[in-house]
Amino acid sequence: GEDVEQSLFLSVREGDSSVINCTYTDSSSTYLYWYKQEPGAGLQLLTYIFSNMDMKQDQRLTVLLNKKDKHLSLRIADTQTGDSAIYFCAGTSGTYKYIFGTGTRLKVLA
Amino acid sequence: GAVVSQHPSWVICKSGTSVKIECRSLDFQATTMFWYRQFPKQSLMLMATSNEGSKATYEQGVEKDKFLINHASLTLSTLTVTSAHPEDSSFYICSAPRDRGTYGYTFGSGTRLTVV
C-alpha cells in the first residue's frame, strides 16, 4: 500500500521560512494536499497541487512537487506563531480515499 | 461554506457504556462521510466510509460491531462506540468531500473520547 512519510518535528524562529517535507511511494495520486491541524481540532485544507504541476504558490505558501523523486514540500514564508501546528501531506488517486502522512509538528519560536 | 459540525467535542464515559458521535454537514449535502481515528502524536487512520442510505464500508481490522456507523440522511452521519473500553480512548474525526474537482475534504472539529 501507499506510504507517506514526513519528518516528525520542525522548529523555526518567527519570521523565518519553514519547509516541511513529504515523501510518498505511490505516484498515482491525482492531487496532493497539505492540511493543518491545530491542537484538539480537525484538519484544515491549506493548499493542494495537481500532479502535473511542479509548483504552486498561494500567498505565504509554496508547494513544490518532484514527481521523479516522489517528494512534496510545503514552504511557509515569514512563519508566525499562529503557524504552530501539525502539518499533514496527503494523496489520493482520484477518489476521496486519502492516505495521510505521519504529520510534522511545527513549532515557531518567538 | 462547506462546514461539518461534529459533536460532542469531548466525552468521558465509563467502561461498558456506548457513546454516539454526530457529524452534520451544515450547508451542503454529504452523501459520503469518512470516519478517522487519531492516536496521540500519530496520523489519521481511516476507520470506515459511510454512504447515505447504504451500509458503511469498514477498513481492515476495524470491528463493525464495535463501531456502528449510520448515515441516515444527506446531512447526518453518526459513529457509535459500543461497549467502550479504555483502549477505545482516542480522537475521532469525521470528514466529507466538499470539492468534486479537487477531492478536497471538510473536516469536523473532532471528538476526544476518554473511557474510564
Side-chain angles (χ1 to χ4, degrees), chain B residues 5-43:
Chain B
S5 176
Q6 183 171 349
H7 293 282
S9 298
W10 58 270
V11 58
I12 301 174
C13 70
K14 291 185 177 180
S15 288
T17 61
S18 295
V19 173
K20 180 185 283 189
I21 301 169
E22 290 189 351
C23 277
R24 294 181 183 273
S25 56
L26 297 186
D27 50 2
F28 69 105
Q29 293 183 332
T31 55
T32 300
M33 192 76 75
F34 297 92
W35 288 93
Y36 291 86
R37 182 174 182 177
Q38 185 180 29
F39 291 101
K41 299 183 180 180
Q42 292 190 27
S43 190

Short mmCIF file of all heavy atoms in Angstrom, two decimals, chain B residues 5-43:
data_model
loop_
_atom_site.label_atom_id
_atom_site.label_comp_id
_atom_site.label_asym_id
_atom_site.label_seq_id
_atom_site.Cartn_x
_atom_site.Cartn_y
_atom_site.Cartn_z
N SER B 5 -20.15 20.00 11.19
CA SER B 5 -20.24 20.20 12.63
C SER B 5 -20.19 18.86 13.33
O SER B 5 -21.00 17.97 13.03
CB SER B 5 -21.56 20.92 12.95
OG SER B 5 -21.72 21.05 14.34
N GLN B 6 -19.27 18.70 14.25
CA GLN B 6 -19.09 17.43 14.96
C GLN B 6 -19.34 17.63 16.45
O GLN B 6 -18.80 18.55 17.06
CB GLN B 6 -17.67 16.89 14.74
CG GLN B 6 -17.41 15.53 15.38
CD GLN B 6 -16.09 14.92 14.96
OE1 GLN B 6 -15.42 15.39 14.03
NE2 GLN B 6 -15.68 13.86 15.63
N HIS B 7 -20.14 16.72 17.02
CA HIS B 7 -20.47 16.80 18.45
C HIS B 7 -20.49 15.41 19.08
O HIS B 7 -20.88 14.45 18.40
CB HIS B 7 -21.85 17.45 18.63
CG HIS B 7 -21.89 18.87 18.24
ND1 HIS B 7 -21.40 19.87 19.05
CD2 HIS B 7 -22.32 19.46 17.11
CE1 HIS B 7 -21.55 21.02 18.43
NE2 HIS B 7 -22.10 20.81 17.26
N PRO B 8 -20.11 15.26 20.32
CA PRO B 8 -19.56 16.32 21.17
C PRO B 8 -18.09 16.57 20.88
O PRO B 8 -17.46 15.79 20.18
CB PRO B 8 -19.76 15.74 22.57
CG PRO B 8 -19.62 14.27 22.37
CD PRO B 8 -20.21 13.98 21.01
N SER B 9 -17.54 17.61 21.43
CA SER B 9 -16.11 17.89 21.26
C SER B 9 -15.28 16.97 22.13
O SER B 9 -14.18 16.60 21.77
CB SER B 9 -15.80 19.35 21.65
OG SER B 9 -16.51 20.24 20.81
N TRP B 10 -15.82 16.66 23.30
CA TRP B 10 -15.13 15.72 24.16
C TRP B 10 -16.18 14.99 25.00
O TRP B 10 -17.24 15.52 25.29
CB TRP B 10 -14.09 16.40 25.05
CG TRP B 10 -14.64 17.48 25.93
CD1 TRP B 10 -14.76 18.80 25.62
CD2 TRP B 10 -15.16 17.31 27.25
NE1 TRP B 10 -15.33 19.48 26.68
CE2 TRP B 10 -15.58 18.59 27.70
CE3 TRP B 10 -15.31 16.22 28.11
CZ2 TRP B 10 -16.13 18.79 28.95
CZ3 TRP B 10 -15.87 16.43 29.37
CH2 TRP B 10 -16.27 17.71 29.77
N VAL B 11 -15.85 13.78 25.36
CA VAL B 11 -16.76 12.98 26.18
C VAL B 11 -15.95 12.02 27.02
O VAL B 11 -14.97 11.44 26.56
CB VAL B 11 -17.80 12.25 25.30
CG1 VAL B 11 -17.13 11.36 24.27
CG2 VAL B 11 -18.78 11.46 26.13
N ILE B 12 -16.40 11.87 28.27
CA ILE B 12 -15.82 10.89 29.18
C ILE B 12 -16.93 9.90 29.52
O ILE B 12 -18.03 10.31 29.90
CB ILE B 12 -15.30 11.56 30.46
CG1 ILE B 12 -14.23 12.60 30.12
CG2 ILE B 12 -14.73 10.50 31.41
CD1 ILE B 12 -13.77 13.42 31.32
N CYS B 13 -16.65 8.62 29.37
CA CYS B 13 -17.68 7.63 29.67
C CYS B 13 -17.07 6.48 30.45
O CYS B 13 -15.85 6.29 30.46
CB CYS B 13 -18.35 7.13 28.40
SG CYS B 13 -17.29 6.09 27.37
N LYS B 14 -17.93 5.71 31.07
CA LYS B 14 -17.48 4.55 31.83
C LYS B 14 -17.34 3.35 30.92
O LYS B 14 -18.05 3.22 29.91
CB LYS B 14 -18.48 4.24 32.96
CG LYS B 14 -18.51 5.29 34.05
CD LYS B 14 -19.44 4.84 35.18
CE LYS B 14 -19.42 5.85 36.31
NZ LYS B 14 -20.33 5.42 37.43
N SER B 15 -16.44 2.47 31.29
CA SER B 15 -16.27 1.23 30.52
C SER B 15 -17.58 0.48 30.44
O SER B 15 -18.33 0.40 31.42
CB SER B 15 -15.23 0.32 31.21
OG SER B 15 -13.95 0.83 31.05
N GLY B 16 -17.87 -0.04 29.25
CA GLY B 16 -19.08 -0.82 29.07
C GLY B 16 -20.25 -0.03 28.52
O GLY B 16 -21.24 -0.61 28.05
N THR B 17 -20.14 1.28 28.55
CA THR B 17 -21.23 2.10 28.02
C THR B 17 -20.98 2.42 26.55
O THR B 17 -19.89 2.15 26.02
CB THR B 17 -21.38 3.41 28.80
OG1 THR B 17 -20.16 4.17 28.69
CG2 THR B 17 -21.67 3.12 30.26
N SER B 18 -21.98 2.98 25.90
CA SER B 18 -21.87 3.34 24.48
C SER B 18 -21.87 4.84 24.32
O SER B 18 -22.51 5.56 25.10
CB SER B 18 -23.02 2.73 23.69
OG SER B 18 -22.94 1.32 23.71
N VAL B 19 -21.19 5.30 23.33
CA VAL B 19 -21.07 6.73 23.06
C VAL B 19 -21.39 6.99 21.60
O VAL B 19 -20.88 6.29 20.72
CB VAL B 19 -19.65 7.24 23.38
CG1 VAL B 19 -19.48 8.68 22.95
CG2 VAL B 19 -19.34 7.07 24.85
N LYS B 20 -22.21 8.00 21.35
CA LYS B 20 -22.56 8.36 19.98
C LYS B 20 -21.92 9.69 19.60
O LYS B 20 -22.01 10.67 20.35
CB LYS B 20 -24.07 8.46 19.80
CG LYS B 20 -24.48 8.83 18.36
CD LYS B 20 -25.97 9.06 18.23
CE LYS B 20 -26.72 7.76 18.19
NZ LYS B 20 -28.15 7.96 17.86
N ILE B 21 -21.30 9.71 18.45
CA ILE B 21 -20.68 10.93 17.92
C ILE B 21 -21.41 11.30 16.63
O ILE B 21 -21.65 10.44 15.77
CB ILE B 21 -19.18 10.71 17.62
CG1 ILE B 21 -18.43 10.28 18.89
CG2 ILE B 21 -18.56 11.96 17.03
CD1 ILE B 21 -17.01 9.79 18.64
N GLU B 22 -21.78 12.57 16.53
CA GLU B 22 -22.54 13.02 15.37
C GLU B 22 -21.73 13.97 14.50
O GLU B 22 -21.00 14.82 15.01
CB GLU B 22 -23.81 13.75 15.82
CG GLU B 22 -24.85 12.89 16.45
CD GLU B 22 -26.15 13.64 16.66
OE1 GLU B 22 -26.16 14.88 16.48
OE2 GLU B 22 -27.15 13.01 17.02
N CYS B 23 -21.92 13.82 13.21
CA CYS B 23 -21.35 14.79 12.27
C CYS B 23 -22.43 15.24 11.31
O CYS B 23 -23.09 14.41 10.67
CB CYS B 23 -20.18 14.16 11.50
SG CYS B 23 -18.63 14.21 12.39
N ARG B 24 -22.60 16.54 11.25
CA ARG B 24 -23.61 17.12 10.39
C ARG B 24 -22.97 18.06 9.36
O ARG B 24 -22.12 18.88 9.72
CB ARG B 24 -24.62 17.95 11.20
CG ARG B 24 -25.48 17.15 12.13
CD ARG B 24 -26.47 18.03 12.89
NE ARG B 24 -27.24 17.23 13.83
CZ ARG B 24 -28.35 16.60 13.54
NH1 ARG B 24 -28.85 16.68 12.32
NH2 ARG B 24 -28.98 15.90 14.45
N SER B 25 -23.38 17.91 8.13
CA SER B 25 -22.96 18.87 7.11
C SER B 25 -23.98 20.01 7.15
O SER B 25 -25.17 19.79 7.00
CB SER B 25 -22.90 18.22 5.74
OG SER B 25 -24.13 17.63 5.39
N LEU B 26 -23.49 21.22 7.38
CA LEU B 26 -24.40 22.33 7.65
C LEU B 26 -24.91 23.04 6.40
O LEU B 26 -26.03 23.53 6.38
CB LEU B 26 -23.71 23.35 8.56
CG LEU B 26 -23.33 22.84 9.95
CD1 LEU B 26 -22.78 23.98 10.81
CD2 LEU B 26 -24.50 22.17 10.64
N ASP B 27 -24.11 23.13 5.39
CA ASP B 27 -24.52 23.92 4.24
C ASP B 27 -24.32 23.17 2.92
O ASP B 27 -24.26 23.78 1.86
CB ASP B 27 -23.77 25.24 4.21
CG ASP B 27 -22.27 25.04 4.37
OD1 ASP B 27 -21.82 23.88 4.47
OD2 ASP B 27 -21.54 26.04 4.39
N PHE B 28 -24.21 21.86 3.02
CA PHE B 28 -24.11 21.06 1.81
C PHE B 28 -24.57 19.64 2.14
O PHE B 28 -24.70 19.27 3.29
CB PHE B 28 -22.67 21.05 1.27
CG PHE B 28 -21.68 20.30 2.12
CD1 PHE B 28 -21.22 19.05 1.75
CD2 PHE B 28 -21.20 20.85 3.31
CE1 PHE B 28 -20.31 18.36 2.53
CE2 PHE B 28 -20.29 20.17 4.10
CZ PHE B 28 -19.84 18.92 3.72
N GLN B 29 -24.80 18.89 1.11
CA GLN B 29 -25.24 17.51 1.30
C GLN B 29 -24.04 16.58 1.22
O GLN B 29 -23.30 16.62 0.23
CB GLN B 29 -26.28 17.13 0.25
CG GLN B 29 -27.59 17.90 0.42
CD GLN B 29 -28.64 17.46 -0.60
OE1 GLN B 29 -28.31 17.03 -1.69
NE2 GLN B 29 -29.90 17.58 -0.23
N ALA B 30 -23.88 15.78 2.24
CA ALA B 30 -22.75 14.86 2.29
C ALA B 30 -23.25 13.44 2.07
O ALA B 30 -23.74 12.80 2.99
CB ALA B 30 -22.03 14.98 3.64
N THR B 31 -23.16 12.98 0.84
CA THR B 31 -23.58 11.61 0.59
C THR B 31 -22.56 10.61 1.13
O THR B 31 -22.89 9.44 1.34
CB THR B 31 -23.74 11.38 -0.92
OG1 THR B 31 -22.51 11.73 -1.57
CG2 THR B 31 -24.86 12.23 -1.48
N THR B 32 -21.37 11.08 1.37
CA THR B 32 -20.31 10.24 1.91
C THR B 32 -19.68 10.93 3.11
O THR B 32 -19.49 12.15 3.09
CB THR B 32 -19.22 9.98 0.84
OG1 THR B 32 -19.80 9.35 -0.28
CG2 THR B 32 -18.11 9.10 1.41
N MET B 33 -19.38 10.16 4.12
CA MET B 33 -18.68 10.68 5.31
C MET B 33 -17.58 9.68 5.67
O MET B 33 -17.82 8.47 5.66
CB MET B 33 -19.64 10.85 6.48
CG MET B 33 -19.08 11.65 7.64
SD MET B 33 -19.02 13.43 7.36
CE MET B 33 -20.75 13.87 7.54
N PHE B 34 -16.42 10.22 5.94
CA PHE B 34 -15.31 9.37 6.35
C PHE B 34 -15.09 9.53 7.85
O PHE B 34 -15.14 10.63 8.38
CB PHE B 34 -14.03 9.76 5.61
CG PHE B 34 -14.12 9.56 4.13
CD1 PHE B 34 -14.52 10.60 3.31
CD2 PHE B 34 -13.80 8.35 3.57
CE1 PHE B 34 -14.62 10.42 1.94
CE2 PHE B 34 -13.90 8.17 2.19
CZ PHE B 34 -14.31 9.20 1.38
N TRP B 35 -14.81 8.44 8.52
CA TRP B 35 -14.52 8.46 9.95
C TRP B 35 -13.09 8.03 10.19
O TRP B 35 -12.66 6.97 9.72
CB TRP B 35 -15.49 7.54 10.70
CG TRP B 35 -16.87 8.11 10.75
CD1 TRP B 35 -17.90 7.89 9.88
CD2 TRP B 35 -17.38 9.03 11.73
NE1 TRP B 35 -19.01 8.60 10.25
CE2 TRP B 35 -18.72 9.31 11.38
CE3 TRP B 35 -16.83 9.64 12.86
CZ2 TRP B 35 -19.51 10.17 12.13
CZ3 TRP B 35 -17.63 10.49 13.61
CH2 TRP B 35 -18.95 10.75 13.24
N TYR B 36 -12.38 8.88 10.91
CA TYR B 36 -10.98 8.63 11.22
C TYR B 36 -10.78 8.53 12.72
O TYR B 36 -11.52 9.11 13.51
CB TYR B 36 -10.09 9.77 10.70
CG TYR B 36 -9.98 9.86 9.21
CD1 TYR B 36 -10.91 10.56 8.47
CD2 TYR B 36 -8.91 9.26 8.55
CE1 TYR B 36 -10.80 10.66 7.09
CE2 TYR B 36 -8.80 9.36 7.16
CZ TYR B 36 -9.75 10.06 6.46
OH TYR B 36 -9.63 10.15 5.09
N ARG B 37 -9.72 7.84 13.06
CA ARG B 37 -9.28 7.76 14.45
C ARG B 37 -7.83 8.24 14.48
O ARG B 37 -7.04 7.89 13.58
CB ARG B 37 -9.39 6.32 14.93
CG ARG B 37 -9.00 6.12 16.37
CD ARG B 37 -9.29 4.69 16.80
NE ARG B 37 -8.96 4.49 18.20
CZ ARG B 37 -9.16 3.37 18.86
NH1 ARG B 37 -9.68 2.32 18.26
NH2 ARG B 37 -8.84 3.28 20.13
N GLN B 38 -7.53 9.00 15.49
CA GLN B 38 -6.18 9.54 15.60
C GLN B 38 -5.67 9.32 17.02
O GLN B 38 -6.25 9.82 17.99
CB GLN B 38 -6.16 11.03 15.26
CG GLN B 38 -4.76 11.63 15.23
CD GLN B 38 -4.77 13.10 14.89
OE1 GLN B 38 -5.73 13.81 15.19
NE2 GLN B 38 -3.71 13.57 14.25
N PHE B 39 -4.58 8.57 17.13
CA PHE B 39 -3.93 8.39 18.41
C PHE B 39 -2.98 9.55 18.66
O PHE B 39 -2.55 10.21 17.71
CB PHE B 39 -3.18 7.05 18.45
CG PHE B 39 -4.09 5.87 18.43
CD1 PHE B 39 -4.32 5.16 17.27
CD2 PHE B 39 -4.74 5.46 19.59
CE1 PHE B 39 -5.18 4.06 17.25
CE2 PHE B 39 -5.59 4.37 19.59
CZ PHE B 39 -5.81 3.67 18.42
N PRO B 40 -2.66 9.80 19.93
CA PRO B 40 -1.79 10.93 20.25
C PRO B 40 -0.50 10.93 19.43
O PRO B 40 0.16 9.91 19.32
CB PRO B 40 -1.52 10.76 21.74
CG PRO B 40 -2.70 10.01 22.25
CD PRO B 40 -3.10 9.09 21.14
N LYS B 41 -0.21 12.05 18.85
CA LYS B 41 1.02 12.27 18.08
C LYS B 41 1.13 11.32 16.90
O LYS B 41 2.25 11.01 16.46
CB LYS B 41 2.24 12.15 19.00
CG LYS B 41 2.25 13.19 20.11
CD LYS B 41 3.49 13.12 20.97
CE LYS B 41 3.44 14.17 22.07
NZ LYS B 41 4.63 14.14 22.93
N GLN B 42 0.03 10.87 16.40
CA GLN B 42 0.06 10.00 15.24
C GLN B 42 -0.84 10.54 14.14
O GLN B 42 -1.58 11.51 14.33
CB GLN B 42 -0.38 8.59 15.62
CG GLN B 42 0.59 7.88 16.53
CD GLN B 42 0.25 6.41 16.70
OE1 GLN B 42 -0.36 5.80 15.83
NE2 GLN B 42 0.65 5.84 17.82
N SER B 43 -0.76 9.89 13.00
CA SER B 43 -1.55 10.34 11.86
C SER B 43 -2.98 9.83 11.97
O SER B 43 -3.35 9.15 12.92
CB SER B 43 -0.90 9.84 10.57
OG SER B 43 -1.52 10.44 9.45
#
